[in-house]
Amino acid sequence: MRDAIAESRYRDAAEAAAGERDELLRHLDRGLALLYAGDAVAANLHLGRAEVLIDDRYTRSVTRAALSLLLNDRILPYQPDPWERLMIPLYRALSYVTQDAPEDAAVEARRLSGLLLERRDSRPARAAEENDAFLYVMAGAVLEWAGLPDDAEVAYRNAREAYGAASAPADWLAPEPVAVAAGEPETVAVAPVRSQGGELLLLVETGQVPPPVEELLLVYLEGDEAERAREHPDRVGQEIAKRYLEGHASKREGSHDYLLPIALRARPIPPFQPAPAVLEVDGARLPLPVAFDVSRAAAFASRDELPALLAKTAARAVVKALAFKETTDHADDAVRILANAFHLATERADTRAWLTLPGELRFARVPLAPGPHTVRVRLETAGGVPVLDLGTVQVEAGRPTLVRARMPERDGWRMQEAAMATLDRAAD
C-alpha cells in the first residue's frame, strides 16, 4: 500500500487497504487513498464511516479487554491517536471542497475546530508542541472558501492564540502581496494586489508518516512486587514504569526478582529535516514551507504517551508472568520452556496505524488576479527533484481558490525508508 502511494498508484493503494483486518483502519486508508485517486465521493463515504466507528469504539468489549491482559492489544479494535482523529474532519472538509459543497465543507471545518479546542483545553502544552495550530489555519481557510468570513476569522484567531510566541507566518492569516525571486538578481511581485479579489490557497502533502515500530524491553520485578501484583497489578505496573523512566530498568535487587519482557509501540522522531520545496506561479518562485510536520507530531505524541503505555504494558506483563508461574510451578522443564515461549510470543506491541497519511503538510497563500495561472511545485530531495505540475489553476474572484495536491515521491520515499531501517538496525 505504501509503495503504491509513493508511486502515485492510488487506486492500487485503495485496493491494498481493502485487505486491512480492522474495519476502522480499512476505512481510513481506503478513504485517503481514494481522495488521492480523485474519487472524493467514495473517499468521504469511507472517512464518514470511520468517524462513526471511532465514536462507537469508546465503549470497548469487556471480554476482549480482559483477554488482552493475557495476550496483547492487537486483539482489541483499533483506537486512533488523538492527532489522527484531527485528520479525519480535515480530509472530509477537503473532499467537500473538491466536490464544491461549501455547506458540507463548513460542517467538517467546524468539527475540526471543535476537536482542536477540546484538545487544546485538555492538554495545552502537548497540543502546542505537536503544532496543531496549523489545523486551525486550515479550518479557517475552508470556512473562508465556503463564504463564511466571520467564522473563518474565529478560526484564525484561535490559530494566533494556539501558535502563541511561535507566531504563524502572517500571510497565512492576513495575506498581503509578496515579492518573490523570479531569477537572479531581479525580483518580481507575485501580484496583482489583494484588492483585485483573487487568492490561491495551496496545500501540498509530501512524504509519508513513518509507521510505528516495536521496542522490546526487559524490566525486573522485585519479590515484594510479585506478591502485591496479585491484587494490584496496575499499581505495580506504575512502579515499574517509574523505575524504567528514571533509568533503573536493569537494576537487580535480591535473588527473587523476575525479568519481564515488555513490548512497546514507539514512533521515532525522523532523523532528517523535510526537503525544501519551491512553488512556481506563472514562473515566479515562492518557498513552500512545512506547515504541519505530521511525522514529528506522531513522534511527540508517542513520547508523551510513553509513561501511561509503559505502566499498562508492564501490568499486563506482570499478570501473564504470574499466571504462567502458577500454572507451571509443578511442571517439568519442557512445559516451563513452552510457557515462557508463549509469553514471549504473545508479548507484541500494537503497531497498527493510519499509514496513508502524508509526512508533512505544506501551505502557501498567494494573492493573484482572477483568471488562469500556471502552478508547479518542486521538491528538492537527495533522490532527485520530483515535480508536481498542477497545470492551469483557475483563480476565482471574490473568494479564495483552495487547492489540495499530493506530491509524487519516487526515489525520495525509498531513501527515507532506508534511513529508518538503518536506525532500526542501530537500535537493535
Side-chain angles (χ1 to χ4, degrees):
M1 181 178 68
R2 288 166 69 80
D3 282 343
I5 290 288
E7 296 166 5
S8 303
R9 295 184 289 108
Y10 302 126
R11 287 284 177 184
D12 291 344
E15 289 301 315
E20 290 272 11
R21 292 184 179 181
D22 185 87
E23 184 183 3
L24 174 56
L25 282 173
R26 187 161 63 247
H27 286 297
L28 290 173
D29 282 326
R30 279 180 65 79
L32 196 47
L34 287 169
L35 180 61
Y36 293 154
D39 193 345
V41 174
N44 232 327
L45 289 174
H46 284 288
L47 294 174
R49 177 60 182 156
E51 282 188 328
V52 173
L53 282 171
I54 288 172
D55 292 338
D56 290 344
R57 288 185 177 186
Y58 275 111
T59 305
R60 292 190 175 189
S61 165
V62 174
T63 303
R64 281 199 171 190
L67 187 58
S68 73
L69 287 176
L70 289 178
L71 295 174
N72 54 64
D73 286 346
R74 292 188 182 197
I75 70 168
L76 297 173
Y78 178 72
Q79 292 283 5
D81 290 336
W83 67 271
E84 285 179 316
R85 284 196 69 189
L86 299 172
M87 307 302 282
I88 300 174
L90 170 65
Y91 281 111
R92 292 202 74 193
L94 292 172
S95 70
Y96 281 126
V97 170
T98 301
Q99 297 173 65
D100 197 21
E103 292 183 2
D104 293 323
V107 169
E108 294 301 327
R110 293 190 184 100
R111 189 192 306 273
L112 174 58
S113 291
L115 287 174
L116 286 165
L117 280 172
E118 177 184 318
R119 183 164 159 76
R120 190 182 69 182
D121 291 345
S122 61
R123 295 288 300 276
R126 174 172 161 181
E129 184 176 41
E130 292 174 22
N131 200 20
D132 292 347
F134 173 70
L135 299 181
Y136 277 122
V137 176
M138 285 308 305
V142 171
L143 291 166
E144 195 175 352
W145 171 86
L148 300 167
D150 293 340
D151 291 355
E153 180 51 37
V154 172
Y156 291 146
R157 184 166 63 247
N158 287 333
R160 295 184 189 98
E161 293 175 0
Y163 272 109
S167 58
D171 59 336
W172 290 358
L173 306 173
E176 296 292 342
V178 290
V180 297
E184 296 297 330
E186 69 274 19
T187 53
V188 298
V190 176
V193 297
R194 187 180 182 186
S195 61
Q196 291 178 306
E199 287 182 307
L200 172 64
L201 278 62
L202 179 63
L203 179 73
V204 176
E205 298 150 275
T206 55
Q208 294 191 38
V209 63
V213 297
E214 181 177 282
E215 182 180 355
L216 187 63
L217 309 177
L218 284 175
V219 297
Y220 71 94
L221 180 67
E222 296 179 351
D224 64 323
E225 288 178 331
E227 292 302 318
R228 288 187 290 112
R230 298 177 192 278
E231 294 185 4
H232 303 290
D234 52 340
R235 294 182 188 174
V236 173
Q238 292 172 2
E239 293 171 12
I240 293 173
K242 181 179 179 181
R243 193 158 60 232
Y244 172 81
L245 294 171
E246 291 176 350
H248 305 299
S250 60
K251 183 180 178 182
R252 299 295 308 279
E253 297 178 6
S255 58
H256 301 292
D257 300 341
Y258 298 95
L259 278 177
L260 302 177
I262 294 178
L264 291 178
R265 163 192 168 112
R267 294 187 100 140
I269 296 177
F272 39 78
Q273 293 297 318
V278 174
L279 169 62
E280 296 180 357
V281 181
D282 297 333
R285 296 165 63 86
L286 277 169
L288 187 62
V290 173
F292 182 38
D293 193 328
V294 182
S295 299
R296 294 185 71 84
F300 288 142
S302 177
R303 182 198 63 189
D304 289 346
E305 290 166 359
L306 177 60
L309 177 62
L310 180 55
K312 172 187 172 182
T313 309
R316 182 179 65 226
V318 168
V319 169
K320 286 200 293 186
L322 294 178
F324 293 147
K325 179 181 182 302
E326 291 178 1
T327 56
T328 59
D329 264 349
H330 303 292
D332 58 24
D333 289 343
V335 173
R336 285 197 294 271
I337 290 171
L338 286 174
N340 284 331
F342 181 76
H343 186 176
L344 286 169
T346 57
E347 186 55 30
R348 301 293 305 278
D350 184 5
T351 55
R352 296 172 296 175
W354 185 1
L355 294 179
T356 49
L357 285 169
E360 305 92 26
L361 299 181
R362 299 168 184 266
F363 185 72
R365 184 168 193 163
V366 186
L368 293 169
H373 298 272
T374 58
V375 180
R376 296 204 311 175
V377 176
R378 294 180 180 272
L379 187 66
E380 299 175 0
T381 71
V385 185
V387 176
L388 174 63
D389 192 344
L390 297 177
T392 300
V393 174
Q394 189 71 28
V395 173
E396 300 181 47
R399 72 170 184 176
T401 299
L402 180 56
V403 177
R404 182 213 60 79
R406 185 76 166 80
M407 190 80 190
E409 297 169 62
R410 300 188 183 94
D411 293 338
W413 154 247
R414 292 184 174 83
M415 293 186 67
Q416 174 177 318
E417 287 289 275
M420 297 304 294
T422 300
L423 278 182
D424 289 344
R425 287 195 296 271
D428 290 343

